[in-house]
């Protein structure tokens, strides 16, 4: 299976850091389908797996240096791309941006928040996909 190389993450993250003027780090963890199902059930009580899960780090002064963890399941992304005839790298970038925005505090708990997050996702995707 094809995994985006570290080069892509570095390139994407550097552009995001410049855009948001960040001086923080984050962890990107690639997991298999079973691990993603386990995490989704443990933390969200959902009985299915996901493409991505974000865990913002919120602990006193340390959140100024560390954003949190992003768990990505490349298998689920690959399967969704294959099934829907999507470009794998573009969809991976879209999912990465989505998880990153969650680390920054964005959410989609209602339609208004969802629309704001979607607009920012599209904007960042166009910025990073150059």
């Amino acid at each position: 299976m094809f995994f985006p190389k570290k080069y892509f993450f570095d390139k994407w993250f550097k552009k995001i850091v410049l855009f948001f003027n960040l001086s923080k780090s984050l962890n990107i963890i690639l997991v298999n389908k079973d691990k993603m199902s386990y995490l989704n059930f443990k933390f969200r009580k959902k009985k299915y797996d996901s493409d991505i899960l974000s865990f913002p780090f919120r602990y006193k002064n340390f959140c100024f240096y560390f954003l949190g963890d992003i768990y990505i399941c490349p298998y689920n992304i690959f399967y969704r791309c294959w099934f829907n005839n999507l470009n794998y790298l573009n969809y991976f970038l879209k999912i990465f941006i989505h998880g990153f925005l969650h680390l920054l505090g964005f959410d989609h708990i209602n339609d208004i928040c969802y629309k704001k997050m979607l607009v920012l996702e599209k904007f960042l995707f166009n910025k990073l996909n150059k």
Side-chain angles (χ1 to χ4, degrees), residues 102 106-114 117:
H102 279 304
F106 290 89
D107 211 339
H108 41 80
I109 55 176
N110 59 42
D111 286 344
I112 294 169
C113 293
Y114 175 76
M117 192 169 173

Side-chain angles (χ1 to χ4, degrees), residues 67-107:
L67 286 172
D69 298 325
I70 295 177
Y71 285 80
I72 300 175
C73 182
Y75 174 83
N76 289 347
I77 294 172
F78 178 80
Y79 181 76
R80 187 170 294 192
C81 290
W82 176 78
F83 192 73
N84 295 307
N85 199 26
L86 302 170
N87 178 287
Y88 182 75
L89 203 53
N90 285 342
Y91 188 68
F92 206 104
L93 175 57
K94 180 192 174 304
I95 292 298
F96 172 72
I97 291 168
H98 184 86
F100 182 78
L101 290 176
H102 279 304
L103 291 185
L104 293 181
F106 290 89
D107 211 339

Side-chain angles (χ1 to χ4, degrees), residues 10-43:
D10 288 346
K11 181 175 124 181
W12 296 337
F13 192 66
K14 284 177 186 174
K15 287 182 179 182
I16 286 176
V17 165
L18 290 174
F19 180 76
F20 285 104
N21 195 20
L22 293 174
S23 59
K24 301 178 182 189
S25 64
L26 64 89
N27 290 325
I28 299 170
I29 301 109
L30 303 176
V31 297
N32 64 25
K33 189 174 171 60
D34 293 335
K35 181 71 171 183
M36 188 59 86
S37 294
Y38 169 77
L39 292 170
N40 208 21
F41 183 74
K42 181 177 180 182
F43 293 103

